[in-house]
Amino acid sequence: MTQRSKRRRSRWLSPFQVTRQLQSAILCRMEREIDLNEEDVEWLAVAPETVDRHSTGPLPVRSAKLWSLVLEARYLPARLEPDGNGWRVMVPAPRLAEAERELRLFVEENRHWPPSPPPTRPQINNALAALSVLLLVATFYNVTLLPVTLPDGQPLDWLEAGSGKAGRILDGEWWRLITALTLHADLTHLFSNLAIGGIFIVYLCSDLGSGLAWALLLSCGALGNLANAYVQLPSHDSIGSSTLVFAAVGVLGASNMVRHRHHALKRWPLPVAAALSLLVLLGTEGKNTDLGAHLFGFLFGVLLGAVTAHVAGTRGRPGTLLNVLLALLSIVVVVGAWWWGIMAA
């Protein structure tokens, strides 16, 4: 065979064929492993204190098995033997130093892994206050059904005075950003928002405090209605507290994301992903669903919720006095918005 044909043949060798050099290396490795498995080879125990300075005495079975797996992954033979109340890892004497070095590297790289979960924050026992506000929302719906006469003798049309008409909002009727959140089309609309939103809102009030939670939700709802007015036609009209509901979902998702930000990259975005799934499942169905209001309420909930969670995590939750002031401010904003709306009707 000529030199040219040899080169051509070597060029078309299958990647699964073993060359003489590789075969020699494999045989040497096998002979080395066979020599280490012979009975006359002395096996020594890995001293736990030489691997991890925090370890003393025999290893628990879980640690011993883990160390054995680490050594096997590094092609170092290992055995487990009972040692009193624990276990010890045995390696061939010629490989002891190498085994201890590999185990030290493993222990140092994984000393603080997985990260400890964030400390649980005690919940505030204010579910009754949150439910009372939701009851007021239901009561206000009944008020809007009653005939009310304005000072000029004209009957008050609650929807005309307070709905979120995009054109009116952009013309300066700011109160509609708030009043639209308190109106509902019918009992089905009302009860669906209270039943679904009540779960998230009550939990949010218990987590942050009633005053901060409602102030945050009103801010997200107003900003969501404002953003929705900008992207919709001037004739677009919307009512309902569902913007608040999805704002609460966004706040809760962002709050949990901030608390778990030190965990694995694949785990900490999960709260917001779960909240986004709720938006898709609950906020896109129905003939009269205002998807824009739901989406913007959710997005502002995520944004303001992340900021609030960061501040609350560094400085703590607001105290009772601040929560009371924020609750009073929320009431003043809602009442003031309706006052402006009624006076302008």
Side-chain angles (χ1 to χ4, degrees), residues 27-45:
L27 290 175
C28 292
R29 186 77 180 186
M30 293 175 61
E31 292 174 357
R32 189 177 183 186
E33 295 295 334
I34 293 172
D35 292 340
L36 291 175
N37 289 327
E38 292 178 353
E39 294 298 331
D40 57 351
V41 175
E42 183 182 7
W43 291 73
L44 299 179

Side-chain angles (χ1 to χ4, degrees), residues 326-337:
L326 289 173
L328 292 176
L329 178 62
S330 301
I331 295 173
V332 170
V333 168
V334 174
V335 174

